[in-house]
Amino acid sequence: WDLFGQARFKFLDESLLLALGGRYNHHEKFDSKLVGEASAAYIFKQTGTKIYGTVGTGYRTPSLYEIYGGYLSNGRLITIGNPDLQPEESIGYEVGVEQSLLDGAFIAGVTWFQTDFDDLIIYDGILNKYNNATKAKTQGIETYARITPWEWLQLNVAYTHANPEYKDNQTGLWTRREYMPRDKVSGTVTVRFPEDLTT
């Protein structure tokens, strides 16, 4: 079970926004853990510019599939789960800037992020099972734009460039996480109909 809470604050005519959050994670098998997050943003109302930053810690216990998972191949059960997995822990940072134009009809932003992991849970393609990497990190940049040409239509597009790596337990060398893409583009179109119907 988890116990979590959050507090948000507004200062300077709601130009300065602060948020603090925490979660206590209690697990039957693994250690219990307290994680937290703090964020701050400042909005320059005259120009519609917002600058922001966040720092937070994370804790993820292995899933059932990562512990016990497997599949059938030629009538034989191949086990890829690993009962010896340890929970992964992380600390992440991000800073960014967002610009609003045309009374909010166009919003664009860019964010730099980095997350450092201890005991990251990875799939080891050579051993064909899940394992813990001693150290791992992901850093990169995300850009996004939201366009609302009419009240009933919204377009979102985002591009992320990331460099995910983990430290090989045997060689001590940093290795790219092959199954994680370096570049990702995504987009959504949202249409709002009458009677609160959205698609």
Side-chain angles (χ1 to χ4, degrees):
W1 53 267
D2 289 352
L3 179 67
F4 58 91
Q6 186 183 61
R8 291 184 286 181
F9 307 92
K10 298 179 181 180
F11 301 102
L12 305 176
D13 192 28
E14 299 190 359
S15 292
L16 177 62
L17 311 175
L18 303 175
L20 298 171
R23 187 183 84 228
Y24 179 75
N25 176 269
H26 176 78
H27 198 282
E28 188 176 80
K29 179 179 178 182
F30 299 104
D31 291 339
S32 299
K33 201 75 174 178
L34 178 66
V35 297
E37 181 178 275
S39 64
Y42 189 84
I43 302 171
F44 298 90
K45 293 186 177 180
Q46 289 184 334
T47 62
T49 306
K50 178 171 75 171
I51 57 174
Y52 54 88
T54 303
V55 60
T57 57
Y59 180 73
R60 186 177 82 83
T61 56
S63 70
L64 289 174
Y65 187 77
E66 290 166 338
I67 295 174
Y68 303 111
Y71 58 91
L72 286 174
S73 176
N74 295 324
R76 195 165 57 101
L77 178 63
I78 307 296
T79 302
I80 62 174
N82 183 355
D84 296 325
L85 285 176
Q86 296 300 309
E88 63 182 38
E89 298 184 46
S90 63
I91 182 167
Y93 318 87
E94 68 176 42
V95 292
V97 60
E98 182 180 276
Q99 181 65 51
S100 177
L101 299 170
L102 304 174
D103 292 326
F106 178 81
I107 297 174
V110 59
T111 303
W112 170 86
F113 60 89
Q114 176 168 325
T115 307
D116 298 314
F117 298 89
D118 285 323
D119 293 322
L120 177 72
I121 299 170
I122 61 169
Y123 175 71
D124 190 324
I126 297 174
L127 298 177
N128 194 29
K129 72 172 187 175
Y130 286 95
N131 251 325
N132 286 109
T134 51
K135 298 282 185 183
K137 59 185 177 182
T138 299
Q139 59 181 339
I141 292 178
E142 179 180 56
T143 60
Y144 57 91
R146 182 172 73 226
I147 305 167
T148 311
W150 299 283
E151 193 173 301
W152 54 271
L153 177 66
Q154 186 178 92
L155 310 172
N156 292 274
V157 63
Y159 164 73
T160 303
H161 175 79
N163 186 30
E165 297 178 307
Y166 67 91
K167 195 173 185 180
D168 188 280
N169 291 337
Q170 276 75 40
T171 66
L173 300 175
W174 287 91
T175 303
R176 179 174 173 263
R177 292 163 65 194
E178 298 85 356
Y179 56 93
M180 298 290 288
R182 276 203 177 103
D183 300 282
K184 183 170 75 169
V185 177
S186 61
T188 60
V189 177
T190 303
V191 180
R192 295 182 179 89
F193 294 101
E195 308 301 330
D196 297 326
L197 175 64
T198 301
T199 184

